[in-house]
Amino acid sequence: MSAQKSGKANTTVKGGNNENEVEKARDMGEWKKVTELLEAGRVGKQVNSGPGDILVNFLQCEAKLELWLDDHQPLDKFLSKAKSALIDVKKGFQLCLSHAGDQWGLKTDVRVLLAKIYHTTGLYEEALDELEKSGIMGLSETGQSVRNIQLMAEANAIKAHSLEKVGKSLRGKPNMSELERKKEIQRCYNRSGDLSIQFFQGQEKIFAATYPSVSVGNFPFPNVNVTLNNNTTSISSSGGTTSPHPQNWEKRRPSSILDFAIRRGPALLIEEGKLDEAILRIDKLIRSCDTHYFTPIRLMFYRRFAEILLRYKYIPTKLTTLEASGTNTKFHMSSGIFSPLNLWESIILTLLLGESLVVKEGVLNQAPEFEKARKLANSNAASIYDLLCLASGRWGHYQLVNEGFEQALKFSFEEPHIWSQYALSFVASGLNSRKSNQTLIEAGNLSDNPTPLLLLAAQQSFSRLLTEEGMQIIQTAKEKEMAGSRKLLSRVLLYEGIGYFLRSFEKHMNQQRLDDRATALSSLQAAVELDPVDCIGLHWLARVYAWTGNINDAFNVAVKALRAFPFHLPTLQLMILLLSAQRNYSDALAVTEEALDEYPDHLGFLQMKAALDQKLFGPDAALTTVRQMLIVWKALFDDGFGLVRSDSPEYKGFGGFGSLQLPSPTDRDGGSVASFRAGSIAGSSTNTGTLTIGFRGDAALSEIASSVSIHGFLNQASAGELAWTAQINIWIMLTDLYLKLNQPTQAGLSIEEAAQIASAHPDVLFYRGQTEEHLENYNEARTWYESAVGVKPTHVKALQSLALMQHYFGSHRLAEKTLQDALKLDPYDHHTWFLKKKYIFFIF
């Protein structure tokens, strides 16, 4: 073949059908088949001696070279081995060059292949000399065979890489400046990438014509896998007995030099700080029509593209512009292509495209021979999904991550990382269910460090009031920590103490409650001893001290917690409650106002201020604060259509609600977390004080979602339900204040607003009864109290009021039994004892 003759490379084998088979095998890269045909003499018999022998010699050397390169990438560790292994091949090519004439048009091909040998053996200047002599850089790809397109792509890649290796010491180019050299390197890498994709598309077209019964979507390269590392891409392949494709196609992969050239082009642009050009180049490559040769490289580019956008938060203004490459490469250019409008759309779209590839390329076969392929597929999936976690986390769309990992589970059998990320996506998205709990436990069983996952599972169990289940998980975590490094033993003991504390509210006997709280104190004290600066441990220790009536000890521990972390809002709230329990109302109000200066939209602090205002200045002052709470709620959560906004503060760190990770233990008790039985005013006037720490579990009653009359949009996430529960509590507080101001009409209107949100809420039912009792409608009041107790049997205040109504109607023994039930729930409530003592003589 002479490059000067026709302006194109045209190395073909002349002759009959056997020669056509050799030519097709060369295009398809089936070098073993080429060798078999040559060894069988099927080509040699068709050619005459002389030039025909040269052609056979060329084909044999070409096949040997390609087969050796299939097993040995051109790396530094193979240089010495390549020099000895390719001596005979090199001599064979030199023999082809020494033959007079160029009847078969071999010279261009031979010199390119010699350049490959020199490049493989580390002789980069010799490789550049051979490429210059070949004249292949000036050829057009139009009309070339698939094999020749491959050689042209490899020639450009070899030239670019050799220029990088040689640097400024290149012989014969004294006038080439550093800038010119860099431009030539970039041009060659880009052209090699375009020609490589054209080569991949050409091979796939030949395969579709050769095997028409096999769809292009099942092209036999799905077993090609690529490991995505920081700086390199390692490509491997594995065959499989389940593949529907011919066996000689099952271990195909792109040439390592072509793979390197495609990746190196954008990498150079990034190194030089040309982000705009790099992104446009990557965008162009991933818009090429897909082939299975290019699939692993495309997956890598999806990852790199997303990494660049995430790291630099940068996107060019005209991403859809594709400059002409001068090749016949096919690109997706349809006007119907989705064009992202902003940075985040670009990132999410890129990662979702990458996710579609990793799901498609996942290895389901669990046979031992597929172990390496499974690990590679899982590594690729983990890379894409981890980036999806970062991107979705910035946007707050953890549900998207959860759905993605659920698909990845199909090919991630007992893969710890995938399972751990899947389990954590439940936590991040706020999904608390039996499924999420079991996923966390399973992920913990697979993980080398199971304690954090088991603690999250226990936390979810506690949040769903499954205390015993949570305690069992904690015991498992404790056993693992005791047998391991014990680095998280303090946190395990903290959760154990919380578990005993929560369990104490499920006990009906007072002694059992005291025993559980004593055990909780012991565990929390042990946790604090192991980690004395853990603000969470100190907070819970202070909280349990407060519940057991040790107000002074609770106050001292709360001070230590605030010294450890002054911005821990639950502890700051607890401090205010403890000051009020010590009757230091002025100090408590001062702390509250300072907190509101920092967090003016915090509903918990506003509620505390309302309670303190009522105590110090009367209901009128408190009424102003509660009205302000309604204004704040509307500004934070209401979008004007009855929907809770997704940008409301429950998605942010501070503001809106208190930030405890566990709900108030009064979910079963009915009293406020603030009710320390020592005169804490934030929990004494109503039993809605749980707003200061975390809303009660009854906010999630199905009745809330089913009885909506105006705001018919409660079938949202738990954060939205918490927002509506906040509004219910605000209206209830208004009702209580209006009753104290002797304004039953306004109180009725306020409780009616709360009833429109959740008519069967136990506090709504209770204050309906309070309103009717204030109007001296005792029969209706009794009915409402009975309804409140029916919905929530642990509602102490409803039991007290119901006993009072039963006494008014002459049911003295029934009133006695009701008060006894209230004492079982809270034996320290002075109002229950007062009623019991006041009306006990009516029984006898």
Side-chain angles (χ1 to χ4, degrees), residues 355-395:
E355 180 202 11
S356 67
L357 283 184
V358 297
V359 171
K360 179 181 177 182
E361 301 298 320
V363 180
L364 301 179
N365 198 320
Q366 297 297 317
E369 60 267 25
F370 287 90
E371 181 179 0
K372 186 177 181 180
R374 286 198 304 273
K375 288 182 178 179
L376 289 170
N378 290 331
S379 177
N380 297 337
S383 300
I384 293 296
Y385 284 118
D386 287 347
L387 287 172
L388 190 60
C389 287
L390 294 175
S392 301
R394 290 186 181 185
W395 213 358

Coordinates of all heavy atoms in Angstrom, one line a residue, residues 355-395:
E355 N -25.9 5.7 35.8 CA -26.6 4.7 36.6 C -27.2 3.7 35.6 O -27.2 2.5 35.9 CB -27.7 5.3 37.4 CG -28.5 4.3 38.3 CD -29.8 4.9 38.7 OE1 -30.2 5.9 38.2 OE2 -30.5 4.2 39.5
S356 N -27.8 4.2 34.5 CA -28.4 3.3 33.6 C -27.4 2.3 33.0 O -27.7 1.1 32.7 CB -29.1 4.1 32.4 OG -28.1 4.7 31.6
L357 N -26.2 2.8 32.8 CA -25.1 1.9 32.3 C -24.7 0.8 33.3 O -24.5 -0.3 33.0 CB -23.9 2.7 31.9 CG -24.0 3.4 30.5 CD1 -22.6 4.1 30.2 CD2 -24.3 2.5 29.4
V358 N -24.5 1.3 34.6 CA -24.0 0.3 35.6 C -25.1 -0.7 35.9 O -24.8 -1.9 36.2 CB -23.6 1.0 36.9 CG1 -22.4 1.9 36.6 CG2 -24.7 1.8 37.5
V359 N -26.4 -0.3 35.8 CA -27.4 -1.3 36.0 C -27.5 -2.3 34.9 O -27.6 -3.5 35.1 CB -28.8 -0.6 36.2 CG1 -29.9 -1.6 36.2 CG2 -28.8 0.2 37.5
K360 N -27.3 -1.8 33.7 CA -27.3 -2.6 32.5 C -26.1 -3.6 32.5 O -26.2 -4.7 32.1 CB -27.3 -1.7 31.2 CG -27.3 -2.5 29.9 CD -27.2 -1.6 28.7 CE -27.1 -2.3 27.4 NZ -27.0 -1.4 26.3
E361 N -25.0 -3.1 32.9 CA -23.8 -3.9 32.9 C -23.5 -4.7 34.1 O -22.5 -5.4 34.3 CB -22.5 -3.0 32.7 CG -22.6 -2.1 31.4 CD -22.6 -3.0 30.2 OE1 -21.9 -4.0 30.1 OE2 -23.4 -2.7 29.3
G362 N -24.5 -4.7 35.1 CA -24.4 -5.5 36.3 C -24.3 -7.0 36.0 O -25.0 -7.5 35.1
V363 N -23.5 -7.7 36.8 CA -23.3 -9.1 36.6 C -24.1 -9.8 37.6 O -23.9 -9.7 38.8 CB -21.8 -9.5 36.8 CG1 -21.6 -11.0 36.6 CG2 -20.9 -8.8 35.8
L364 N -25.1 -10.5 37.2 CA -26.1 -11.2 38.0 C -25.6 -12.7 38.4 O -26.0 -13.2 39.4 CB -27.5 -11.3 37.4 CG -28.1 -10.0 37.0 CD1 -29.5 -10.2 36.4 CD2 -28.3 -9.1 38.2
N365 N -24.8 -13.3 37.5 CA -24.4 -14.6 37.7 C -23.4 -14.7 38.9 O -22.4 -14.0 39.0 CB -23.6 -15.1 36.5 CG -23.5 -16.6 36.5 OD1 -23.3 -17.3 37.5 ND2 -23.7 -17.2 35.3
Q366 N -23.7 -15.6 39.9 CA -23.0 -15.7 41.1 C -21.9 -16.8 41.1 O -21.4 -17.2 42.1 CB -23.9 -16.0 42.3 CG -24.9 -14.8 42.6 CD -24.1 -13.5 43.0 OE1 -23.2 -13.6 43.8 NE2 -24.6 -12.4 42.4
A367 N -21.7 -17.4 39.9 CA -20.7 -18.4 39.7 C -19.3 -17.9 40.1 O -19.0 -16.7 39.9 CB -20.7 -19.0 38.3
P368 N -18.4 -18.8 40.6 CA -17.1 -18.3 41.0 C -16.3 -17.7 39.9 O -15.5 -16.8 40.1 CB -16.4 -19.6 41.5 CG -17.5 -20.5 41.9 CD -18.7 -20.2 40.9
E369 N -16.5 -18.2 38.6 CA -15.7 -17.6 37.5 C -16.1 -16.2 37.2 O -15.4 -15.5 36.5 CB -15.8 -18.5 36.3 CG -17.2 -18.6 35.8 CD -17.9 -19.9 36.3 OE1 -17.5 -20.3 37.4 OE2 -18.9 -20.4 35.6
F370 N -17.2 -15.7 37.7 CA -17.6 -14.4 37.5 C -17.3 -13.4 38.6 O -17.8 -12.3 38.7 CB -19.1 -14.3 37.2 CG -19.5 -14.9 35.9 CD1 -19.8 -16.2 35.7 CD2 -19.6 -14.0 34.8 CE1 -20.2 -16.7 34.5 CE2 -20.0 -14.5 33.5 CZ -20.3 -15.9 33.4
E371 N -16.5 -13.9 39.6 CA -16.2 -13.1 40.8 C -15.5 -11.8 40.4 O -15.9 -10.7 40.9 CB -15.4 -13.9 41.8 CG -15.1 -13.1 43.1 CD -14.3 -13.9 44.0 OE1 -13.9 -15.1 43.7 OE2 -14.0 -13.4 45.1
K372 N -14.5 -11.8 39.6 CA -13.8 -10.6 39.2 C -14.7 -9.7 38.5 O -14.7 -8.4 38.7 CB -12.6 -11.0 38.3 CG -11.7 -9.8 38.0 CD -10.5 -10.3 37.2 CE -9.6 -9.1 36.9 NZ -8.4 -9.5 36.1
A373 N -15.5 -10.2 37.6 CA -16.5 -9.3 36.8 C -17.5 -8.7 37.8 O -17.8 -7.5 37.6 CB -17.2 -10.1 35.8
R374 N -17.9 -9.4 38.8 CA -18.9 -8.8 39.7 C -18.2 -7.7 40.5 O -18.8 -6.7 40.8 CB -19.4 -9.9 40.7 CG -20.4 -10.9 40.1 CD -21.2 -11.6 41.2 NE -20.3 -12.3 42.1 CZ -19.8 -13.5 41.9 NH1 -20.1 -14.2 40.8 NH2 -19.0 -14.1 42.8
K375 N -17.0 -7.9 40.9 CA -16.3 -6.9 41.7 C -16.1 -5.6 40.9 O -16.3 -4.5 41.4 CB -15.0 -7.4 42.2 CG -15.1 -8.5 43.3 CD -13.7 -8.9 43.8 CE -13.8 -9.9 44.9 NZ -12.5 -10.4 45.4
L376 N -15.8 -5.8 39.6 CA -15.6 -4.6 38.8 C -16.9 -3.9 38.6 O -17.0 -2.7 38.6 CB -15.0 -5.0 37.4 CG -13.6 -5.5 37.4 CD1 -13.2 -6.1 36.1 CD2 -12.6 -4.3 37.7
A377 N -18.0 -4.6 38.3 CA -19.3 -4.0 38.2 C -19.7 -3.3 39.4 O -20.3 -2.2 39.4 CB -20.3 -5.1 37.8
N378 N -19.5 -3.9 40.6 CA -19.9 -3.3 41.8 C -19.0 -2.0 42.1 O -19.5 -1.1 42.7 CB -19.7 -4.3 43.0 CG -20.8 -5.4 42.9 OD1 -21.9 -5.2 42.4 ND2 -20.4 -6.6 43.4
S379 N -17.8 -2.1 41.7 CA -16.9 -0.9 41.9 C -17.4 0.3 41.0 O -17.5 1.4 41.5 CB -15.5 -1.3 41.5 OG -14.7 -0.1 41.6
N380 N -17.8 0.0 39.8 CA -18.3 1.0 38.9 C -19.6 1.6 39.5 O -19.9 2.8 39.5 CB -18.6 0.4 37.5 CG -17.3 0.0 36.9 OD1 -16.2 0.4 37.2 ND2 -17.4 -0.9 35.9
A381 N -20.5 0.7 40.0 CA -21.8 1.1 40.5 C -21.6 2.0 41.8 O -22.2 3.0 41.9 CB -22.6 -0.1 40.9
A382 N -20.6 1.6 42.6 CA -20.3 2.3 43.8 C -19.8 3.7 43.5 O -20.2 4.7 44.1 CB -19.3 1.6 44.7
S383 N -19.0 3.8 42.5 CA -18.5 5.1 42.1 C -19.6 6.1 41.6 O -19.6 7.3 42.0 CB -17.4 5.0 40.9 OG -16.4 4.2 41.3
I384 N -20.5 5.6 40.8 CA -21.6 6.4 40.3 C -22.5 6.8 41.4 O -22.9 7.9 41.5 CB -22.3 5.7 39.1 CG1 -21.4 5.6 37.9 CG2 -23.6 6.4 38.7 CD1 -21.0 6.9 37.3
Y385 N -22.9 5.8 42.2 CA -23.9 6.1 43.2 C -23.3 6.9 44.3 O -24.1 7.7 45.0 CB -24.4 4.7 43.8 CG -25.4 4.1 42.9 CD1 -25.1 2.8 42.4 CD2 -26.6 4.7 42.5 CE1 -26.0 2.2 41.5 CE2 -27.5 4.0 41.7 CZ -27.2 2.8 41.2 OH -28.1 2.2 40.3
D386 N -22.1 6.9 44.6 CA -21.5 7.8 45.6 C -21.5 9.2 45.2 O -21.8 10.1 45.9 CB -20.0 7.4 45.9 CG -19.9 6.1 46.7 OD1 -21.0 5.7 47.3 OD2 -18.8 5.5 46.8
L387 N -21.2 9.4 43.9 CA -21.4 10.8 43.3 C -22.8 11.2 43.3 O -23.1 12.4 43.6 CB -20.8 10.8 41.9 CG -19.3 10.7 41.8 CD1 -18.9 10.6 40.3 CD2 -18.6 12.0 42.4
L388 N -23.7 10.3 43.1 CA -25.2 10.6 43.1 C -25.6 11.0 44.5 O -26.4 11.9 44.7 CB -26.0 9.4 42.6 CG -27.5 9.7 42.4 CD1 -27.7 10.7 41.3 CD2 -28.2 8.4 41.9
C389 N -25.0 10.4 45.5 CA -25.2 10.8 46.9 C -24.8 12.2 47.1 O -25.6 13.0 47.8 CB -24.5 9.8 47.8 SG -25.2 8.2 48.0
L390 N -23.6 12.6 46.7 CA -23.1 13.9 46.9 C -24.0 15.0 46.2 O -24.4 16.0 46.8 CB -21.7 14.0 46.4 CG -20.6 13.2 47.1 CD1 -19.3 13.4 46.4 CD2 -20.5 13.7 48.6
A391 N -24.4 14.7 44.9 CA -25.2 15.6 44.2 C -26.6 15.7 44.7 O -27.1 16.8 44.9 CB -25.2 15.2 42.7
S392 N -27.2 14.6 45.0 CA -28.6 14.6 45.5 C -28.6 15.2 46.9 O -29.6 15.9 47.3 CB -29.2 13.2 45.6 OG -29.2 12.6 44.3
G393 N -27.5 15.0 47.7 CA -27.5 15.6 49.1 C -27.5 17.1 49.0 O -28.1 17.7 49.8
R394 N -26.7 17.7 48.1 CA -26.7 19.1 47.9 C -28.1 19.7 47.6 O -28.4 20.8 47.9 CB -25.7 19.5 46.9 CG -24.3 19.3 47.3 CD -23.3 19.9 46.3 NE -21.9 19.7 46.7 CZ -20.9 20.1 46.0 NH1 -21.1 20.8 44.9 NH2 -19.7 19.9 46.4
W395 N -28.8 18.8 46.8 CA -30.2 19.3 46.4 C -31.3 18.8 47.3 O -32.4 19.2 47.2 CB -30.4 18.7 45.0 CG -31.2 19.6 44.1 CD1 -31.8 20.8 44.4 CD2 -31.5 19.4 42.7 NE1 -32.5 21.4 43.4 CE2 -32.3 20.5 42.3 CE3 -31.3 18.4 41.8 CZ2 -32.8 20.6 41.0 CZ3 -31.7 18.5 40.5 CH2 -32.5 19.6 40.1

